[in-house]
Amino acid sequence: MNNKIITIIGAGPGGYVAAIKAAQVGFDVNIIEKGPFGGTCLNIGCIPTKAILYPLSFLNKNYNRMGIMTDKMKIDLNKLNMWKKGAVNKAVKGVELLLKKYDNIKIYKGEGKLINNNEIEVNGEKIKTDYTILAMGSIPSIPKIFDVKGVWTSDNALELNEIPEILTIIGAGVIGVEIGFIYNKLGSKVTLIDVLDHVGGLNVDEDISSELEKILRGSGIDIKLNVKVSKIEKNKIVLENGEVIETSKIMLAMGRRAMIPQWVEESGIKIAKNKIVIDEKLKTTMENVFAIGDLIDGPMLAHKAMHDAVKVINNLEGKENKEYPIPSVIYTHPEIASIGMIEKEAREKYGDEIKISKFPYSANARANCTKELKGFVKLISFNNKLLGAHIVGENSSEMIWGFGVIMGNALEVSNIENMVFPHPTFAESIHEAILGINSNYIHI
Ligand code: NAI
């Protein structure tokens, strides 16, 4: 024990990982959570979406063609919902058990409020603390004109209580695409609307968004780009060009905003552009108070929040933090996984000297065995080093991490060309794309 107390407000992926790491290195830990453990990710985000997508992925497969004769498949929404709840409950219970494993973690159920940097209030009780980590996460962003009764956010969509005949989603970023993909499989007629000229949100590689658009359109999803919504009613969307869309249900997926309660504003902690301002050690403008995850700048991703948590505890321990690029995934079928720079960004920074290599899944041996032929690996490099990697394709979420090792350690392309990949695997597409940087592809 180091005789110091650390108090964490919020038990999402950032908060609970901070509690465990802090307990492991000897802090006395208080963790305060007003809702279920695991926050958005476990309850109404990453976990339920992946639990729903897994069974729905069977609908993509032509079993009869493979010699597995099945009757026509149909969806039982109640059972699917129970399956999803099973995954969520196990994950949430798992976090509780993990926290309870440590004698030096004390759990408070209730809303925590920072009074000053040595005192936190929860359920009318004041607790003393040496350090505080703010980890309250984020909530869907709903602009005033879209705040209409009966309109969904992803929170409602993931309850799986009904399958609307027509579902129109405003925002074709990550959430819009994933929920649109799910409801398309469930049988809704889905339309995605976005002000941008592409799908996938702001910072997506052009080749990736156009492939994603092809995948979405190919599965029957309608997409309207470059359009502005001027008004919505419960079942009606009026576009700025005068077009009126009648729909059974509207869902908003126009971004999320950091959960910054009034007590943060009143504490004097600096906030800019609706994010808590932090320094390089993730410390807020209040001494000994830190902020992590969706509350601060950077991608709003569970694994980024977990990584922030580890960084804060390492910093308090006086340990160095090594920086690695942060991967991101869009869980459609096939999946889309990215890390590092997109081509536009690399071109702006390094000009036309950058090299692009691209290997299609259709030329991969494993893809041929499974007929998961859609997609490609795209690599962006400069001066013998990788700047970015983007994969559209089966299992890409499980493969992207390797690029973190390559890019985080600035390994040279010439040093990784001879890596040995097992055959036959989808991952061989990565090897081919690496070889392709110097035009040494083997299978195309
Ligand atoms: P986003 O920023 O990815 O996409 C929002 C989209 O809404 C943008 O394309 C934007 O142009 C559009 N938009 C905004 N206002 C609009 C308007 N008035 N009319 C039409 N379109 C409009 O945000 P999203 O999808 O809500 O996701 C929020 C966060 O959650 C993201 O940071 C994302 O990374 C994270 N997330 C990550 C997931 C993953 O890793 N698989 C899954 C779900 C969410």
PDB file of all heavy atoms in Angstrom, residues 375-404:
ATOM      1  N   GLY A 375     -13.115  -6.699 -50.072  1.00  0.00           N
ATOM      2  CA  GLY A 375     -12.198  -5.880 -49.291  1.00  0.00           C
ATOM      3  C   GLY A 375     -10.763  -5.912 -49.753  1.00  0.00           C
ATOM      4  O   GLY A 375     -10.421  -6.547 -50.767  1.00  0.00           O
ATOM      5  N   PHE A 376      -9.934  -5.219 -48.994  1.00  0.00           N
ATOM      6  CA  PHE A 376      -8.508  -5.086 -49.342  1.00  0.00           C
ATOM      7  C   PHE A 376      -7.724  -4.580 -48.135  1.00  0.00           C
ATOM      8  O   PHE A 376      -8.309  -4.089 -47.164  1.00  0.00           O
ATOM      9  CB  PHE A 376      -8.340  -4.109 -50.513  1.00  0.00           C
ATOM     10  CG  PHE A 376      -8.988  -2.765 -50.291  1.00  0.00           C
ATOM     11  CD1 PHE A 376      -8.364  -1.781 -49.538  1.00  0.00           C
ATOM     12  CD2 PHE A 376     -10.249  -2.485 -50.832  1.00  0.00           C
ATOM     13  CE1 PHE A 376      -8.966  -0.551 -49.325  1.00  0.00           C
ATOM     14  CE2 PHE A 376     -10.860  -1.247 -50.613  1.00  0.00           C
ATOM     15  CZ  PHE A 376     -10.218  -0.285 -49.862  1.00  0.00           C
ATOM     16  N   VAL A 377      -6.411  -4.727 -48.232  1.00  0.00           N
ATOM     17  CA  VAL A 377      -5.515  -4.091 -47.251  1.00  0.00           C
ATOM     18  C   VAL A 377      -4.856  -2.931 -47.968  1.00  0.00           C
ATOM     19  O   VAL A 377      -4.309  -3.106 -49.068  1.00  0.00           O
ATOM     20  CB  VAL A 377      -4.423  -5.068 -46.765  1.00  0.00           C
ATOM     21  CG1 VAL A 377      -3.459  -4.367 -45.808  1.00  0.00           C
ATOM     22  CG2 VAL A 377      -5.047  -6.282 -46.096  1.00  0.00           C
ATOM     23  N   LYS A 378      -4.920  -1.749 -47.392  1.00  0.00           N
ATOM     24  CA  LYS A 378      -4.276  -0.575 -47.995  1.00  0.00           C
ATOM     25  C   LYS A 378      -3.241  -0.048 -47.010  1.00  0.00           C
ATOM     26  O   LYS A 378      -3.560   0.219 -45.849  1.00  0.00           O
ATOM     27  CB  LYS A 378      -5.335   0.494 -48.267  1.00  0.00           C
ATOM     28  CG  LYS A 378      -4.739   1.821 -48.733  1.00  0.00           C
ATOM     29  CD  LYS A 378      -5.819   2.838 -49.058  1.00  0.00           C
ATOM     30  CE  LYS A 378      -5.192   4.170 -49.424  1.00  0.00           C
ATOM     31  NZ  LYS A 378      -6.192   5.174 -49.827  1.00  0.00           N
ATOM     32  N   LEU A 379      -2.027   0.107 -47.496  1.00  0.00           N
ATOM     33  CA  LEU A 379      -0.961   0.635 -46.647  1.00  0.00           C
ATOM     34  C   LEU A 379      -0.441   1.942 -47.230  1.00  0.00           C
ATOM     35  O   LEU A 379      -0.322   2.084 -48.461  1.00  0.00           O
ATOM     36  CB  LEU A 379       0.193  -0.359 -46.538  1.00  0.00           C
ATOM     37  CG  LEU A 379      -0.142  -1.733 -45.965  1.00  0.00           C
ATOM     38  CD1 LEU A 379       1.108  -2.598 -45.866  1.00  0.00           C
ATOM     39  CD2 LEU A 379      -0.796  -1.595 -44.591  1.00  0.00           C
ATOM     40  N   ILE A 380      -0.127   2.860 -46.345  1.00  0.00           N
ATOM     41  CA  ILE A 380       0.432   4.149 -46.766  1.00  0.00           C
ATOM     42  C   ILE A 380       1.806   4.260 -46.115  1.00  0.00           C
ATOM     43  O   ILE A 380       1.922   4.084 -44.890  1.00  0.00           O
ATOM     44  CB  ILE A 380      -0.486   5.303 -46.298  1.00  0.00           C
ATOM     45  CG1 ILE A 380      -1.905   5.087 -46.848  1.00  0.00           C
ATOM     46  CG2 ILE A 380       0.075   6.658 -46.713  1.00  0.00           C
ATOM     47  CD1 ILE A 380      -2.976   5.733 -46.030  1.00  0.00           C
ATOM     48  N   SER A 381       2.826   4.514 -46.929  1.00  0.00           N
ATOM     49  CA  SER A 381       4.175   4.564 -46.350  1.00  0.00           C
ATOM     50  C   SER A 381       4.960   5.741 -46.917  1.00  0.00           C
ATOM     51  O   SER A 381       4.607   6.294 -47.968  1.00  0.00           O
ATOM     52  CB  SER A 381       4.917   3.257 -46.625  1.00  0.00           C
ATOM     53  OG  SER A 381       5.073   3.094 -48.016  1.00  0.00           O
ATOM     54  N   PHE A 382       5.988   6.090 -46.203  1.00  0.00           N
ATOM     55  CA  PHE A 382       6.880   7.161 -46.654  1.00  0.00           C
ATOM     56  C   PHE A 382       8.280   6.822 -46.159  1.00  0.00           C
ATOM     57  O   PHE A 382       8.458   6.485 -44.978  1.00  0.00           O
ATOM     58  CB  PHE A 382       6.415   8.513 -46.088  1.00  0.00           C
ATOM     59  CG  PHE A 382       7.367   9.641 -46.377  1.00  0.00           C
ATOM     60  CD1 PHE A 382       7.514  10.126 -47.671  1.00  0.00           C
ATOM     61  CD2 PHE A 382       8.124  10.209 -45.356  1.00  0.00           C
ATOM     62  CE1 PHE A 382       8.397  11.164 -47.947  1.00  0.00           C
ATOM     63  CE2 PHE A 382       9.007  11.239 -45.633  1.00  0.00           C
ATOM     64  CZ  PHE A 382       9.137  11.716 -46.924  1.00  0.00           C
ATOM     65  N   ASN A 383       9.235   6.885 -47.070  1.00  0.00           N
ATOM     66  CA  ASN A 383      10.615   6.712 -46.653  1.00  0.00           C
ATOM     67  C   ASN A 383      10.853   5.408 -45.886  1.00  0.00           C
ATOM     68  O   ASN A 383      11.455   5.416 -44.817  1.00  0.00           O
ATOM     69  CB  ASN A 383      10.973   7.906 -45.745  1.00  0.00           C
ATOM     70  CG  ASN A 383      12.384   8.352 -46.005  1.00  0.00           C
ATOM     71  OD1 ASN A 383      13.060   7.797 -46.882  1.00  0.00           O
ATOM     72  ND2 ASN A 383      12.848   9.339 -45.249  1.00  0.00           N
ATOM     73  N   ASN A 384      10.273   4.324 -46.422  1.00  0.00           N
ATOM     74  CA  ASN A 384      10.499   3.001 -45.841  1.00  0.00           C
ATOM     75  C   ASN A 384       9.817   2.773 -44.485  1.00  0.00           C
ATOM     76  O   ASN A 384      10.118   1.823 -43.772  1.00  0.00           O
ATOM     77  CB  ASN A 384      12.016   2.736 -45.721  1.00  0.00           C
ATOM     78  CG  ASN A 384      12.343   1.254 -45.780  1.00  0.00           C
ATOM     79  OD1 ASN A 384      11.577   0.466 -46.322  1.00  0.00           O
ATOM     80  ND2 ASN A 384      13.465   0.868 -45.194  1.00  0.00           N
ATOM     81  N   LYS A 385       8.896   3.707 -44.116  1.00  0.00           N
ATOM     82  CA  LYS A 385       8.160   3.506 -42.844  1.00  0.00           C
ATOM     83  C   LYS A 385       6.656   3.586 -43.107  1.00  0.00           C
ATOM     84  O   LYS A 385       6.212   4.328 -43.976  1.00  0.00           O
ATOM     85  CB  LYS A 385       8.510   4.612 -41.842  1.00  0.00           C
ATOM     86  CG  LYS A 385       9.969   4.683 -41.469  1.00  0.00           C
ATOM     87  CD  LYS A 385      10.133   4.512 -39.965  1.00  0.00           C
ATOM     88  CE  LYS A 385      11.589   4.411 -39.558  1.00  0.00           C
ATOM     89  NZ  LYS A 385      12.270   5.685 -39.514  1.00  0.00           N
ATOM     90  N   LEU A 386       5.901   2.827 -42.328  1.00  0.00           N
ATOM     91  CA  LEU A 386       4.442   2.863 -42.492  1.00  0.00           C
ATOM     92  C   LEU A 386       3.846   4.070 -41.777  1.00  0.00           C
ATOM     93  O   LEU A 386       4.212   4.369 -40.642  1.00  0.00           O
ATOM     94  CB  LEU A 386       3.812   1.601 -41.904  1.00  0.00           C
ATOM     95  CG  LEU A 386       3.969   0.313 -42.701  1.00  0.00           C
ATOM     96  CD1 LEU A 386       3.245  -0.825 -42.003  1.00  0.00           C
ATOM     97  CD2 LEU A 386       3.393   0.490 -44.101  1.00  0.00           C
ATOM     98  N   LEU A 387       2.906   4.731 -42.466  1.00  0.00           N
ATOM     99  CA  LEU A 387       2.213   5.867 -41.854  1.00  0.00           C
ATOM    100  C   LEU A 387       0.786   5.493 -41.469  1.00  0.00           C
ATOM    101  O   LEU A 387       0.229   6.029 -40.521  1.00  0.00           O
ATOM    102  CB  LEU A 387       2.138   7.047 -42.839  1.00  0.00           C
ATOM    103  CG  LEU A 387       3.440   7.628 -43.347  1.00  0.00           C
ATOM    104  CD1 LEU A 387       3.149   8.697 -44.397  1.00  0.00           C
ATOM    105  CD2 LEU A 387       4.225   8.240 -42.195  1.00  0.00           C
ATOM    106  N   GLY A 388       0.191   4.596 -42.271  1.00  0.00           N
ATOM    107  CA  GLY A 388      -1.202   4.226 -42.001  1.00  0.00           C
ATOM    108  C   GLY A 388      -1.526   2.880 -42.593  1.00  0.00           C
ATOM    109  O   GLY A 388      -0.915   2.450 -43.577  1.00  0.00           O
ATOM    110  N   ALA A 389      -2.482   2.184 -41.957  1.00  0.00           N
ATOM    111  CA  ALA A 389      -2.940   0.891 -42.474  1.00  0.00           C
ATOM    112  C   ALA A 389      -4.452   0.841 -42.354  1.00  0.00           C
ATOM    113  O   ALA A 389      -5.017   1.233 -41.324  1.00  0.00           O
ATOM    114  CB  ALA A 389      -2.307  -0.244 -41.669  1.00  0.00           C
ATOM    115  N   HIS A 390      -5.086   0.385 -43.416  1.00  0.00           N
ATOM    116  CA  HIS A 390      -6.555   0.332 -43.447  1.00  0.00           C
ATOM    117  C   HIS A 390      -6.968  -0.994 -44.064  1.00  0.00           C
ATOM    118  O   HIS A 390      -6.511  -1.331 -45.154  1.00  0.00           O
ATOM    119  CB  HIS A 390      -7.113   1.496 -44.268  1.00  0.00           C
ATOM    120  CG  HIS A 390      -6.574   2.824 -43.804  1.00  0.00           C
ATOM    121  ND1 HIS A 390      -7.187   3.564 -42.827  1.00  0.00           N
ATOM    122  CD2 HIS A 390      -5.446   3.507 -44.152  1.00  0.00           C
ATOM    123  CE1 HIS A 390      -6.468   4.646 -42.592  1.00  0.00           C
ATOM    124  NE2 HIS A 390      -5.403   4.642 -43.374  1.00  0.00           N
ATOM    125  N   ILE A 391      -7.794  -1.721 -43.372  1.00  0.00           N
ATOM    126  CA  ILE A 391      -8.229  -3.023 -43.896  1.00  0.00           C
ATOM    127  C   ILE A 391      -9.752  -3.075 -43.942  1.00  0.00           C
ATOM    128  O   ILE A 391     -10.413  -2.829 -42.936  1.00  0.00           O
ATOM    129  CB  ILE A 391      -7.761  -4.201 -43.003  1.00  0.00           C
ATOM    130  CG1 ILE A 391      -6.300  -4.052 -42.592  1.00  0.00           C
ATOM    131  CG2 ILE A 391      -8.005  -5.529 -43.713  1.00  0.00           C
ATOM    132  CD1 ILE A 391      -5.836  -5.111 -41.582  1.00  0.00           C
ATOM    133  N   VAL A 392     -10.273  -3.360 -45.126  1.00  0.00           N
ATOM    134  CA  VAL A 392     -11.683  -3.725 -45.241  1.00  0.00           C
ATOM    135  C   VAL A 392     -11.627  -5.220 -45.464  1.00  0.00           C
ATOM    136  O   VAL A 392     -10.996  -5.661 -46.422  1.00  0.00           O
ATOM    137  CB  VAL A 392     -12.336  -3.089 -46.488  1.00  0.00           C
ATOM    138  CG1 VAL A 392     -13.811  -3.476 -46.570  1.00  0.00           C
ATOM    139  CG2 VAL A 392     -12.170  -1.588 -46.490  1.00  0.00           C
ATOM    140  N   GLY A 393     -12.264  -6.009 -44.609  1.00  0.00           N
ATOM    141  CA  GLY A 393     -12.218  -7.442 -44.865  1.00  0.00           C
ATOM    142  C   GLY A 393     -12.497  -8.268 -43.629  1.00  0.00           C
ATOM    143  O   GLY A 393     -12.375  -7.781 -42.496  1.00  0.00           O
ATOM    144  N   GLU A 394     -12.871  -9.520 -43.885  1.00  0.00           N
ATOM    145  CA  GLU A 394     -13.165 -10.477 -42.813  1.00  0.00           C
ATOM    146  C   GLU A 394     -12.020 -10.480 -41.790  1.00  0.00           C
ATOM    147  O   GLU A 394     -10.845 -10.511 -42.158  1.00  0.00           O
ATOM    148  CB  GLU A 394     -13.311 -11.869 -43.449  1.00  0.00           C
ATOM    149  CG  GLU A 394     -13.604 -13.000 -42.497  1.00  0.00           C
ATOM    150  CD  GLU A 394     -15.076 -13.084 -42.104  1.00  0.00           C
ATOM    151  OE1 GLU A 394     -15.832 -12.126 -42.347  1.00  0.00           O
ATOM    152  OE2 GLU A 394     -15.471 -14.118 -41.546  1.00  0.00           O
ATOM    153  N   ASN A 395     -12.391 -10.450 -40.514  1.00  0.00           N
ATOM    154  CA  ASN A 395     -11.430 -10.564 -39.408  1.00  0.00           C
ATOM    155  C   ASN A 395     -10.476  -9.389 -39.264  1.00  0.00           C
ATOM    156  O   ASN A 395      -9.491  -9.485 -38.528  1.00  0.00           O
ATOM    157  CB  ASN A 395     -10.580 -11.840 -39.535  1.00  0.00           C
ATOM    158  CG  ASN A 395     -11.266 -13.043 -38.955  1.00  0.00           C
ATOM    159  OD1 ASN A 395     -12.387 -12.928 -38.467  1.00  0.00           O
ATOM    160  ND2 ASN A 395     -10.630 -14.186 -39.010  1.00  0.00           N
ATOM    161  N   SER A 396     -10.735  -8.273 -39.943  1.00  0.00           N
ATOM    162  CA  SER A 396      -9.746  -7.184 -39.881  1.00  0.00           C
ATOM    163  C   SER A 396      -9.611  -6.617 -38.473  1.00  0.00           C
ATOM    164  O   SER A 396      -8.538  -6.167 -38.077  1.00  0.00           O
ATOM    165  CB  SER A 396     -10.072  -6.081 -40.889  1.00  0.00           C
ATOM    166  OG  SER A 396     -11.341  -5.540 -40.644  1.00  0.00           O
ATOM    167  N   SER A 397     -10.705  -6.686 -37.674  1.00  0.00           N
ATOM    168  CA  SER A 397     -10.611  -6.154 -36.304  1.00  0.00           C
ATOM    169  C   SER A 397      -9.564  -6.919 -35.489  1.00  0.00           C
ATOM    170  O   SER A 397      -8.968  -6.378 -34.570  1.00  0.00           O
ATOM    171  CB  SER A 397     -11.967  -6.236 -35.595  1.00  0.00           C
ATOM    172  OG  SER A 397     -12.373  -7.588 -35.466  1.00  0.00           O
ATOM    173  N   GLU A 398      -9.368  -8.188 -35.816  1.00  0.00           N
ATOM    174  CA  GLU A 398      -8.423  -9.017 -35.058  1.00  0.00           C
ATOM    175  C   GLU A 398      -6.987  -8.865 -35.565  1.00  0.00           C
ATOM    176  O   GLU A 398      -6.062  -9.410 -34.969  1.00  0.00           O
ATOM    177  CB  GLU A 398      -8.823 -10.503 -35.161  1.00  0.00           C
ATOM    178  CG  GLU A 398     -10.193 -10.824 -34.591  1.00  0.00           C
ATOM    179  CD  GLU A 398     -10.235 -10.748 -33.069  1.00  0.00           C
ATOM    180  OE1 GLU A 398      -9.169 -10.585 -32.448  1.00  0.00           O
ATOM    181  OE2 GLU A 398     -11.341 -10.835 -32.513  1.00  0.00           O
ATOM    182  N   MET A 399      -6.803  -8.189 -36.680  1.00  0.00           N
ATOM    183  CA  MET A 399      -5.454  -8.142 -37.284  1.00  0.00           C
ATOM    184  C   MET A 399      -4.794  -6.775 -37.187  1.00  0.00           C
ATOM    185  O   MET A 399      -3.589  -6.665 -37.332  1.00  0.00           O
ATOM    186  CB  MET A 399      -5.540  -8.551 -38.757  1.00  0.00           C
ATOM    187  CG  MET A 399      -6.126  -9.941 -38.949  1.00  0.00           C
ATOM    188  SD  MET A 399      -5.891 -10.574 -40.604  1.00  0.00           S
ATOM    189  CE  MET A 399      -6.954  -9.550 -41.574  1.00  0.00           C
ATOM    190  N   ILE A 400      -5.596  -5.740 -36.933  1.00  0.00           N
ATOM    191  CA  ILE A 400      -5.056  -4.380 -37.068  1.00  0.00           C
ATOM    192  C   ILE A 400      -3.998  -4.061 -35.999  1.00  0.00           C
ATOM    193  O   ILE A 400      -3.107  -3.244 -36.218  1.00  0.00           O
ATOM    194  CB  ILE A 400      -6.214  -3.332 -37.053  1.00  0.00           C
ATOM    195  CG1 ILE A 400      -5.764  -1.981 -37.608  1.00  0.00           C
ATOM    196  CG2 ILE A 400      -6.836  -3.182 -35.679  1.00  0.00           C
ATOM    197  CD1 ILE A 400      -5.560  -1.948 -39.074  1.00  0.00           C
ATOM    198  N   TRP A 401      -4.075  -4.740 -34.857  1.00  0.00           N
ATOM    199  CA  TRP A 401      -3.167  -4.406 -33.749  1.00  0.00           C
ATOM    200  C   TRP A 401      -1.691  -4.544 -34.143  1.00  0.00           C
ATOM    201  O   TRP A 401      -0.835  -3.813 -33.646  1.00  0.00           O
ATOM    202  CB  TRP A 401      -3.461  -5.282 -32.524  1.00  0.00           C
ATOM    203  CG  TRP A 401      -3.111  -6.728 -32.718  1.00  0.00           C
ATOM    204  CD1 TRP A 401      -3.906  -7.699 -33.229  1.00  0.00           C
ATOM    205  CD2 TRP A 401      -1.849  -7.349 -32.447  1.00  0.00           C
ATOM    206  NE1 TRP A 401      -3.238  -8.886 -33.296  1.00  0.00           N
ATOM    207  CE2 TRP A 401      -1.972  -8.703 -32.824  1.00  0.00           C
ATOM    208  CE3 TRP A 401      -0.632  -6.894 -31.914  1.00  0.00           C
ATOM    209  CZ2 TRP A 401      -0.922  -9.600 -32.696  1.00  0.00           C
ATOM    210  CZ3 TRP A 401       0.411  -7.796 -31.788  1.00  0.00           C
ATOM    211  CH2 TRP A 401       0.266  -9.131 -32.173  1.00  0.00           C
ATOM    212  N   GLY A 402      -1.415  -5.495 -35.041  1.00  0.00           N
ATOM    213  CA  GLY A 402      -0.020  -5.733 -35.428  1.00  0.00           C
ATOM    214  C   GLY A 402       0.632  -4.477 -36.000  1.00  0.00           C
ATOM    215  O   GLY A 402       1.845  -4.255 -35.825  1.00  0.00           O
ATOM    216  N   PHE A 403      -0.181  -3.670 -36.670  1.00  0.00           N
ATOM    217  CA  PHE A 403       0.372  -2.427 -37.219  1.00  0.00           C
ATOM    218  C   PHE A 403       0.752  -1.447 -36.111  1.00  0.00           C
ATOM    219  O   PHE A 403       1.583  -0.577 -36.306  1.00  0.00           O
ATOM    220  CB  PHE A 403      -0.622  -1.778 -38.191  1.00  0.00           C
ATOM    221  CG  PHE A 403      -0.718  -2.521 -39.491  1.00  0.00           C
ATOM    222  CD1 PHE A 403      -1.801  -3.324 -39.763  1.00  0.00           C
ATOM    223  CD2 PHE A 403       0.301  -2.434 -40.431  1.00  0.00           C
ATOM    224  CE1 PHE A 403      -1.886  -4.032 -40.949  1.00  0.00           C
ATOM    225  CE2 PHE A 403       0.234  -3.139 -41.619  1.00  0.00           C
ATOM    226  CZ  PHE A 403      -0.856  -3.939 -41.878  1.00  0.00           C
ATOM    227  N   GLY A 404       0.105  -1.590 -34.941  1.00  0.00           N
ATOM    228  CA  GLY A 404       0.484  -0.764 -33.796  1.00  0.00           C
ATOM    229  C   GLY A 404       1.926  -1.052 -33.400  1.00  0.00           C
ATOM    230  O   GLY A 404       2.706  -0.142 -33.086  1.00  0.00           O
TER     231      GLY A 404
END
